[in-house]
Amino acid sequence: MKKSVKKLVWSFLITTATLIAGFAITFISFRLFDQLTANQMKILFAADILVLAAAATGVWYFYESKKAKKRRRKAFEKRHNERVAERKREIEEINKIISRTNIAA
């Protein structure tokens, strides 16, 4: 339950930040539309695109790093479980050998 609430809050925060940034960029662009020349508007548009691309890249990197961490954790758990199972088999074999011998200690 806690995980889903945390995920919901993070999703809400990311969505809110994205909407605020988008509206701010749009507001600034339309506010300056009458005051800028055509070349200045092109530069402003290019800057808007670069800012949005940087934000998208940051979010993508964040989610990909989480996925990579999850994959590494699963791989580690798999190797760990294999080692544990191998040790258990070895101990069972040793116990079988000990139980077959009639050596009194």
Side-chain angles (χ1 to χ4, degrees), residues 56-74:
T57 302
V59 169
W60 177 79
Y61 179 74
F62 175 74
Y63 283 117
E64 286 299 315
S65 67
K66 285 180 89 173
K67 287 180 184 178
K69 285 179 186 178
K70 189 175 182 179
R71 282 193 300 264
R72 283 193 303 266
R73 184 181 49 81
K74 282 186 178 183

Side-chain angles (χ1 to χ4, degrees), residues 93-105:
E93 287 179 20
I94 291 171
N95 286 338
K96 284 180 186 177
I97 291 170
I98 291 172
S99 67
R100 279 188 266 164
T101 58
N102 292 331
I103 300 173

Side-chain angles (χ1 to χ4, degrees), residues 11-25:
S11 297
F12 178 75
L13 288 175
I14 289 172
T15 302
T16 304
T18 305
L19 286 173
I20 289 171
F23 282 122
I25 289 171

Side-chain angles (χ1 to χ4, degrees), residues 5-8 10-11 13-14 18-19 21 23 26 29 32 38 42-44 49 55 57 69 76 80 86 88-90:
V5 171
K6 183 178 178 182
K7 189 174 182 179
L8 181 67
W10 270 110
S11 297
L13 288 175
I14 289 172
T18 305
L19 286 173
F23 282 122
T26 305
S29 297
L32 296 174
K42 289 176 185 176
I43 291 171
L44 182 63
I49 297 299
T57 302
K69 285 179 186 178
F76 173 77
H80 174 73
E86 183 180 341
K88 186 177 178 182
R89 281 192 302 274
E90 289 174 357

